[in-house]
Amino acid sequence: MSDKAFAVLGLFDSPDGLLAAIPRVRALGLGRLEAYTPYPVHGVEKALGLKKSPLAGMVLVMGLVGALSAFLFQFWATGIDYPIVVGGKSPLAWQAYIPIVFEVMVLFATFTAGLGMLLLLNRLPFYGHPVLSSRAIAAVTRDRFALAVEALGEELDVQAARRALEEAGASPVEVVPLPAPDGPYSPNALLRGLLAVAASCLAAGLLTYWGIKLMPVLPPMVHMEDQPRVNAQAPSAFFADGHAMRLPAPGTVARGFLPYGPASREEAAALPNPLPRNAAVLALGKARYGTFCAVCHGPLGDGVPTLTAAYGAKPANLQSRTVREYPDGVIFDVITRGKNAMPSYAWALTEEERWAVVHYVRVLERAQNARDEDLK
Amino acid sequence: MPDDTRRQPGEKTRYWISVQEGTGEPGGRPAAWNEFPEGAADPPELPADALSRRRFLALLSASAALAAASACSRPDRGEIVPYTERPEEVTPGVPNFYASCFSEGRRAHPVLVKTREGRPIHVEGNDRYAAAPGKAPYRAIAEVLGLYDPDRLREPSHRGKAVPVTEAERLLAERAREARSQGLPVLLFTEAVLSPTRARLLAELGKALPRLEVVSYEASEGGGEDRVLRSLFGGTVRLEPLPERAEVVLSLESDFLSGEDPGSVRAFAAGRRPEGPREPMVRFYAAEGRFTLTGSRADARFAVRTGDLAAFALGILRLLVERHGVALPRGMADLPWPAKPLEALLGPGAGEREAEALARDLAAAARRGAALVVAGGHLPAPVHAAAALLNLALGSLGRTLAVWPWPTAFPPVGRREAEGALERAAEGRYGLVLFWGGNPAHAFPGHRAFAQARRETFVRMGLYEDETAQAAALVLPEAHWLESWGDFEPRPGLRALRQPALRPLYPAVRQGEQWLLGLLGALGGEKAEDYALFLKERWRREEWPPASPVPFERFWAAALHEGLVPGTPPPPPAPSAGALLPHLEAARSETGLELVLYPSPALLDGRYGNNGWLQEWPDPVTKATWGNPLWMAPADARRLGLKDGDRVRLSKGERRLESPVLVQPGQREGVAALALGYGREALSVARGVGTNGFSLLGGDGEMVLSGVEVEKIPGRQPVPTTQTHHRMEGRDLVRSLSLREWARGEGEGREGHPPVSLYPDQEFPDHKWGMVIDLSACVGCSGCLLACQSENNVPVVGPEQVLRGREMHWIRIDRYYEGPEEAPRAVHSPMLCQHCDNAPCENVCPVNATNHSPDGLNQMAYNRCVGTRYCANNCPYKVRRFNFLEWTAFKREPESLVFNPEVTVRPRGVMEKCTFCVQRIEEAKVRARVEGRKVADGEVVPACAAACPAEAIVFGDLKDPESRVSKLARSGRAYKVLEELGVRPSVTYLAQLRNVPEDTE
Amino acid sequence: MSAPAPSPLPEELTVPRYLEGEVTAGSLDDQVLAFPERKPPLKWFVAFAFTAALAAAGFGFIGYTVATGIGVWGNNRPVFWAFDIINFVFWVGIGHAGTLISAILFLFRKTWRNAIARFSEAMTIFAVMCAGLFPLIHVGRPWLAFWLFPYPNQRALWTNFRSPLLWDVFAVSTYFSVSLMFWYLGLVPDLASLRERTTHPLRKKIYTVLSLGWRGAASHWVHYEKAYLLLAGLATGLVLSVHSVVSFDFAVSVVPGWHMTIFPPYFVAGAIFAGFAMVVLVLVVVRESMDLQNLITLDHLEVMNKVILGVSCLMAYSYFMEAFTAWYSMNPYLHHIFRQYVSGTYGWAGILTLSCNVLAPQVFWFRRARRSYPVMILVALCVTVGMWFERFVIIVISLHQDFLPSAWHLYKPTPVDFAILLGSFGLFFTLVLLFARILPVIATTEVKAILPGAQPHRHGGGHE
């Protein structure tokens, strides 16, 4: 037994004995008095002069906090952050929030009550308390009642305390040493325990994360990002050429795609330009020309490419007399079927658009070769 | 039509050629102008004022990066296989439409095939077809599934071993040459030959094979009609009712409203939706033993034993002659009136007063040439003779009844002739027997011609390794009609072209004519390497108007583009009434149980047996799927102690058949009915579904059998039906009014106070989509159901799941019976998601997976759905469908090619329902936005509305008070189902109208 | 009220002491806390093996369901909910007795609760665990069930706080955590006693950690008692709210037969009813198999049976009121459904419900019945079955014939449905057995506090 004692502790057989002893020992003012009982013994707290528990207030406050936060969260989530019309209700319809508000309130309140009591008020868990290593503790958690005179900061008068307790009828009386020797619950044992818990939490967290990330794409948990339907430009395991996109049967005519009529350029030359020469048409023609023609024939149609033609072919100069004298139909035909190195642009320009481009080419030519009366 | 504007450029290109094609209004946009559907970036074109190419690319890459980022760790099939050289007409992500033609039995119907990237995904009617613009027969709609049927033959086989095409052709030619050299006849056993060019080819073949015998047989026909008409007109003719011109129609157990011919449904419905109670309305009488869909729509329905129908018709004729001074046709003075008096024939339901009303109405209508009598194709000759006589007396021919000669030299033959040919084939009299189309082994069950497998002289040309194919040594894979060329005559003088909507799925597959061309060439006949050319050449020679200013190429292209070429109708053949007498004398009326065998509305003669959509398509009357239960009258069922699903044995002489029973209200006592086309023995889907009614058919092909024995046998076989309760329980669900009730103002609005709400009304900024369904027009044909299934990737679940009540159809046709079960009145009411403003389903979804769109759609976010099914519980209309099991994810090509790429394919565990075809709505909105205008009224057409032959479904914007749907929703007949719940549905129904004859109500 | 002076009155008239024979704090510990130290008898192992096997099978079928889709169940259109939700409501109901006994009776100062509180609380927790299982597995895509929790996510999407199902999520999870807390608080002092008793090193470590170093200091007891009181108050409110919220799943919908204002109180009553029946069942077994006759007395069981009788009358009233409301509503759909409850295809279920829940408990008007094992076991079984079928009636019958006759369809469960139901029972009893094996089945601390002479004479003793 070390001379430095944490407390002197005496056991009583009955609550009455304990209760009778408290005032007598207390009068001596030897130190802080504390009783240890297997179950709450009524009157002890008064005799020891303990204050009432502040728990109720805490619970009330936290309950209200819970209710308010629940309400505000729902209001924000459904009304402000991501409003969705559901069942014809306005996103801010609050009536339906009430049940959840109540539940969250209770949740906050109960956890305040439980954990607040354990952690805040009773400072538990605390495995290192000297009394836990006393001999008396076994009896105290069974059916005996202990009164302890504990050191109040300064030195505890062990002898006086022992005497006082014995006179009060306690037996046996035990001196609880300080500091408590390491029990099975030494601080580093605890630390190790906590570390283990933290580690397992981390592991669990990671597992859940990967689970959530992977699960939905593992069969049978089909998701919809990979549907059996065949989208545009999809590959195919079925068709020999690996294309899911098929070519139309030769000789067929799809709605809106009557094949190009004229058999020869001469026949085409006879075609009149069906489109009126107005702003809308010219705008369309300009846009198409800029997209498809200007690259080679140049923005002015003078055959100076915007991309310096790295290849041999020399784009035609649309300003040249020959082209200027082409009938519209011929230009249309060239766009449609291509000429020399120029491929067909039928895939890119609908007939309407080709005619619009023809108009625009005419405009370019006119602009470059303005006549005098144009200046007026 | 949602695709109108697509067609515009096609029409624009017509300015410079001919008057013949008519003029198209200018100003439309080309197909490539849809910006937002997938692959939209492909035509590298933007409005002049839009992004520069560089910025566009920048945005593109940015969005790609975003996509990559948001795809987190999910494996993403990023593989892209673009066109190496893109054909002019195909823009990835933008559908194309091909005019083509569907044909079946004696009918041909012009259709429009919707393709994506050169693959058909949907079939609609041809909008240029005046008789039924944009309407397709429901089986044509389902055919797109048949195209991708994995059971289809992929290559020729000989004795079960696959052989290359050349080898197959060699074998075929060899057989033919042998036959020719040995001077043996050659049998070509095929279906009705409707196509002039096919007929021409057969004629050519006939030249090469002098002893060629062509037997064209339609197993689904009774033959009675044909016999009568042949003797009446002195040659095979086609008969088409034209109800649009009729005021009074009498149907003798005819199912002309089944939707197989959208034209007649449309015409009939047009006369059934008067603006007001005083407006004229077609009055429709039906007399029948079986309870047909058509009969269920009758204003007065006479329950007459099918065998007595001839007597009934004559009885009516007698009334007409004796009371209403209708003159009999010449040479009929000594017409033998039936022994049985009219009243003795009538069962429960419409009685003598109705019969008199019928005579009166017919007589009155006849004065305006507006009376029409139609008889079911399966009925015996006497009924058709009587019907023809009635029509002659009423002067319907040429007015309400179109008659024109059979378009080819190969008219269909009766069952007796067909069986004769098979007999000879069985005896080996033919050097070569070529079975092309049809399925004789199924139509003649147990016939000895098919007893021996892989018979060396037998050649099968068809889509499947079916019952008939198993009897043939050489099997030639035929191309599907969607992969084929052809031409038809859908209406007198009107020519329709069939063009392939895709290249054959399998390289070794060719259309039947192609195989025959090969044979023809090998036999030293006319050489044409390609049937398309053969067809084109015939058209150049015979169809191209000689004096036309249009070059043939252009004419041909335009014809393919339109799919139709109008022509001059052939002169109708003249009838000789006297020829009817012998048929009339055959009129008999027998006692005992009658069995009516009729072509299945789903599978016809069984040719669609492998089509899951049609197998699961609820019969419009019984709502039965996956099978052909025996329909029995309630009285008979009681007498024999039969309930739904009990098994019975039918026997006629030594012919026997076992089948489950279905008690059919309204069926005349003593009449049982069984659909043909079931009980197939081949193919993965068709095998073992239902029983084969052909096995009861006698040699004469008579489809109405009398004196049939029915005995109950142990065991039960529950019938998978999609509706298990048939009464309305006095609830105000489907309203039907007689004109007089309507005039009295009944059935308008709703009783009780208007539903109130805690919350302010929802506001819809731009649109508020809504639908009106006119129950007076709807005939309940259930075509909409198939169109929806095809458009929205609705899965097939199979009989077991249907029995559990888990079918997935997004739209169902509720059918209720009112009145006594002997003579009930049936009402049909399409039921689909009502898109309620205050949708109860939305409130209860915990994850917001179903919620409301700003334009009034109740939308499902499939991806968000976890499948609590609470929404479905809370849906008062029970229109939500849940994927209880995985029905789609395992689908692979070719099956998966049928899916509409615009619509999500839902996996298991996800709730789904009608979306009002949101993909079509969005498409229209995008188009409108690109063109800087508002969505035009009628521009958005959901699949169901597009397919409805009666045009009973109208869709549009309720926010626009002038839209057609708004106007209809204000009609006096308008009501909403379960309005009292206050859920505010967006679907309005117009009460069904009945034009009940005066003084019979 | 504890330990009144002995009186000359005949025994049945005295206030039962809910104790038999001489019980001291010490003997109590030796009797109760000894179980965890002893090796359990063979019968325990047999029972455990059986229930565990049942549970394992159940989980096997759950796996099968998850892998194949809930199409393996009988659910269909229109009966989209069936066994899954029935079992959920059933187990949540069972879970209500515990909190009721430990909380409400505590507030009413019914000291007889102390001996059975611990056990019923444990049962609450296990029942709620079973209940929680079903909402999880009944969804079409269980691997996404976590979407029901409002957590911030990539889709920036929140849950629908207007859906009763979401209210369920909150209510049930709150209820579970609160019950757990309540139970654990009660356990701490007992765990401290165990810590001091056991010699087995590992057990000692475990009990040490779990008992948080409780040392029974007077300054702790002050807060402890206050906390317990507050928890009891809160739990009372909660227990009432939870089953009300569960009933909202139905009451808030439009389905005829579900859309009833009487549901919340009616469901709470039903829950207590079923819960008490289950407690009685288990108590009888525990009392006999663990020789606790002196602590869990016949008086306890009799009081429980009185409660069952009372609540049964309450149920009868609820049934009547519900039917009356339906009749008075003049709503044809409702009329139809209520006819289906007692006639029609599933009418037998309604009849069964009424006879089990209303008629059977009436025998408890007789004292001998209340105190007879066979009778109380029989009645408890009846009530358990009856309450399960009550939910069957409410859910399946109401759904199978709602507004549009065209959509009506019969419901037929599959073997998988039954397997999973049995599995949930297996899970429940497995947990119960484990609990009885490793933790004190009786709240020794609370019982000590009411033993004769437990409190100083100047004070009345008991909890004041």
Side-chain angles (χ1 to χ4, degrees), chain B residues 54-339:
Chain B
R54 259 185 206 73
R55 252 192 73 217
F56 171 72
L57 287 173
L59 286 179
L60 194 65
S61 51
S63 55
L66 275 178
S70 62
C72 69
S73 74
R74 304 243 188 284
D76 172 22
R77 303 184 315 170
E79 200 185 344
I80 289 270
V81 186
Y83 277 117
T84 17
E85 188 182 345
R86 179 159 75 78
E88 178 179 352
E89 61 268 51
V90 183
T91 307
V94 179
N96 282 102
F97 291 79
Y98 288 88
S100 185
C101 190
F102 168 74
S103 79
E104 167 187 271
R106 303 184 161 227
R107 276 205 198 81
H109 194 97
V111 294
L112 219 47
V113 186
K114 183 183 187 181
T115 69
R116 270 282 305 264
E117 296 93 34
R119 299 183 320 262
I121 56 169
H122 194 60
V123 174
E124 291 174 350
N126 186 331
D127 59 328
R128 311 279 206 270
Y129 182 45
K135 306 305 178 187
Y138 56 86
R139 286 193 293 253
I141 296 172
E143 266 295 79
V144 70
L145 185 68
L147 169 66
Y148 298 116
D149 186 342
D151 282 9
R152 270 182 61 186
L153 286 170
R154 307 188 181 197
E155 53 204 343
S157 68
H158 182 246
R159 306 203 145 282
K161 286 190 303 296
V163 295
V165 172
T166 50
E167 172 64 4
E169 282 180 318
R170 195 189 57 75
L171 285 166
L172 178 62
E174 199 175 275
R175 297 265 166 292
R177 276 200 221 85
E178 280 169 11
R180 190 168 54 181
S181 53
Q182 298 161 2
L184 287 171
V186 171
L187 174 64
L188 174 57
F189 195 103
T190 180
E191 305 165 340
V193 182
L194 278 173
S195 157
T197 308
R198 177 183 287 194
R200 152 62 60 87
L201 174 59
L202 293 185
E204 293 292 329
L205 199 61
K207 288 190 204 126
L209 290 169
R211 296 200 58 189
L212 176 67
E213 220 179 288
V214 177
V215 173
S216 73
Y217 171 64
E218 280 299 330
S220 59
E221 290 177 357
E225 179 172 26
D226 224 31
R227 282 202 298 285
V228 170
L229 294 180
R230 238 183 281 117
S231 45
L232 179 60
F233 294 102
T236 311
V237 297
R238 292 170 72 189
L239 200 59
E240 205 68 54
L242 307 171
E244 61 264 47
R245 305 197 190 142
E247 291 167 14
V248 178
V249 181
L250 168 63
S251 152
L252 301 169
E253 203 169 306
S254 149
D255 217 350
F256 72 103
L257 293 183
S258 67
E260 291 163 319
D261 175 15
S264 39
V265 177
R266 175 170 177 274
F268 178 78
R272 296 284 293 184
R273 47 159 81 96
E275 295 298 319
R278 304 273 178 280
E279 305 291 321
M281 176 174 174
V282 176
R283 179 166 293 156
F284 177 39
Y285 295 86
E288 53 189 25
R290 174 171 93 87
F291 191 89
T292 66
L293 177 65
T294 306
S296 77
R297 306 285 288 111
D299 299 312
R301 178 175 176 277
F302 303 90
V304 179
R305 286 170 60 91
T306 311
D308 291 342
L309 280 173
F312 173 85
L314 290 175
I316 296 297
L317 181 61
R318 186 173 197 171
L319 280 178
L320 285 168
V321 173
E322 293 171 358
R323 299 240 189 106
H324 303 280
V326 172
L328 283 172
R330 261 187 289 100
M332 294 303 250
D334 53 354
L335 177 67
W337 295 117

Side-chain angles (χ1 to χ4, degrees), chain B residues 333-681:
Chain B
D334 53 354
L335 177 67
W337 295 117
K340 254 191 186 172
L342 189 56
E343 52 273 23
L345 306 173
L346 303 177
E352 288 173 66
R353 276 167 56 233
E354 283 82 358
E356 279 154 17
L358 167 58
R360 189 186 59 228
D361 292 340
L362 281 174
R367 286 182 209 102
R368 293 183 295 282
L372 170 61
V373 179
V374 233
H378 61 288
L379 293 173
V383 187
H384 285 283
L389 193 52
L390 266 174
N391 279 322
L392 285 172
L394 296 167
S396 319
L397 276 190
R399 293 210 186 75
T400 56
L401 207 57
V403 186
W404 74 104
W406 188 259
T408 72
F410 302 93
V413 301
R415 190 173 176 88
R416 198 174 289 289
E417 296 85 331
E419 190 151 24
L422 289 179
E423 284 299 332
R424 290 193 294 283
E427 292 153 10
R429 304 263 193 82
Y430 296 106
L432 166 62
V433 181
L434 177 53
F435 294 104
W436 178 17
N439 187 1
H442 173 247
F444 296 85
H447 193 287
R448 59 201 184 99
F450 308 101
Q452 181 190 342
R454 305 279 170 226
R455 205 156 163 163
E456 199 44 54
T457 54
F458 281 15
V459 178
R460 170 57 163 169
M461 193 155 71
L463 282 171
Y464 298 105
E465 176 71 29
D466 57 10
E467 296 87 336
T468 310
Q470 283 155 9
L474 180 60
V475 178
L476 306 174
E478 191 185 7
H480 193 271
W481 65 269
L482 285 167
E483 302 164 327
S484 309
W485 292 90
D487 57 352
F488 299 92
E489 189 182 25
R491 281 277 191 272
L494 180 65
R495 282 269 186 271
L497 273 172
R498 167 185 289 173
Q499 62 176 332
L502 79 165
R503 304 180 177 206
L505 282 179
Y506 311 102
V509 161
R510 292 128 164 267
Q511 73 182 99
E513 290 90 344
Q514 188 63 43
W515 288 108
L516 292 188
L517 266 181
L519 177 60
L520 189 58
L523 293 172
E526 175 183 344
K527 284 254 183 292
E529 67 282 7
D530 183 358
Y531 183 66
L533 286 182
F534 188 85
L535 178 70
K536 195 171 169 182
E537 283 318 302
R538 195 191 75 77
W539 272 59
R540 186 196 299 280
R541 284 198 304 278
E542 297 170 22
E543 306 289 344
W544 182 34
S548 163
V550 188
F552 174 72
E553 285 302 327
R554 195 68 187 176
F555 165 81
W556 174 247
L560 287 175
H561 183 270
E562 302 297 296
L564 293 167
V565 179
T568 48
S576 57
L580 290 176
L581 280 169
H583 294 294
L584 286 171
E585 272 135 19
R588 68 202 189 322
S589 122
E590 297 171 13
T591 54
L593 188 77
E594 282 185 328
L595 176 66
V596 179
L597 296 165
Y598 63 99
S600 151
L603 311 184
L604 195 63
D605 54 5
R607 68 184 69 178
Y608 302 106
N610 218 44
N611 186 319
W613 289 355
L614 286 169
Q615 285 278 17
E616 197 156 299
W617 175 76
D619 180 282
V621 176
T622 61
K623 301 298 167 192
T625 64
W626 292 99
N628 58 338
L630 177 76
W631 297 17
M632 295 208 69
D636 297 328
R638 263 196 306 280
R639 202 181 67 250
L640 297 163
L642 293 167
K643 298 186 309 302
D644 283 0
D646 287 347
R647 289 181 61 80
V648 293
R649 178 181 295 111
L650 288 161
S651 39
K652 167 79 174 169
E654 73 293 344
R655 303 195 293 274
R656 282 183 180 9
L657 188 67
E658 293 182 0
S659 163
V661 165
L662 189 147
V663 181
Q664 177 54 51
Q667 184 128 318
R668 173 71 193 266
E669 182 172 5
V671 178
L674 187 76
L676 294 171
Y678 287 87
R680 297 280 306 271
E681 286 154 9

Side-chain angles (χ1 to χ4, degrees), chain B residues 70 722-725 727 729 731 733 802-807 812 814 816 831 842-848 862-870 872-878 880-882 884-885 908-910 978 980-981, chain C residues 66-71 73-78 80-81 84 138-141 143-144 147-148 154-155 157-160 162-166 248-249 253-255 258 333 336 399 402-409 412 414:
Chain B
S70 62
T722 58
Q723 185 176 340
T724 56
H725 193 90
R727 297 216 173 255
E729 300 296 326
R731 303 175 180 186
L733 303 176
V802 174
L803 267 173
R804 275 214 175 277
R806 292 172 180 172
E807 72 278 359
R812 64 173 195 262
D814 290 353
Y816 296 111
M831 180 48 69
E842 294 170 359
N843 291 316
V844 297
C845 174
V847 292
N848 273 329
Y862 303 122
N863 249 332
R864 175 69 171 168
C865 177
V866 297
T868 65
R869 309 188 296 294
Y870 198 174
N873 283 336
N874 213 28
C875 171
Y877 306 93
K878 288 287 173 284
R880 287 178 159 262
R881 295 289 185 272
F882 185 69
F884 280 97
L885 293 167
R908 77 167 158 108
V910 172
L978 299 179
E980 65 271 27
L981 295 180
Chain C
V66 172
T68 328
I70 56 170
W73 298 349
N75 304 38
N76 64 8
R77 178 183 65 89
F80 286 95
W81 283 352
D84 42 6
H138 101 287
V139 298
R141 304 199 286 168
W143 55 94
L144 296 178
W147 281 358
L148 265 70
Q154 209 174 31
R155 301 168 293 277
L157 192 60
W158 296 108
T159 50
N160 177 9
R162 298 185 186 87
S163 166
L165 277 187
L166 204 72
F248 289 163
D249 285 348
S253 78
V254 302
V255 180
W258 285 11
Y333 311 113
H336 177 84
L399 281 177
D402 69 342
F403 294 97
L404 300 191
S406 59
W408 292 358
H409 205 288
K412 205 154 111 283
T414 63

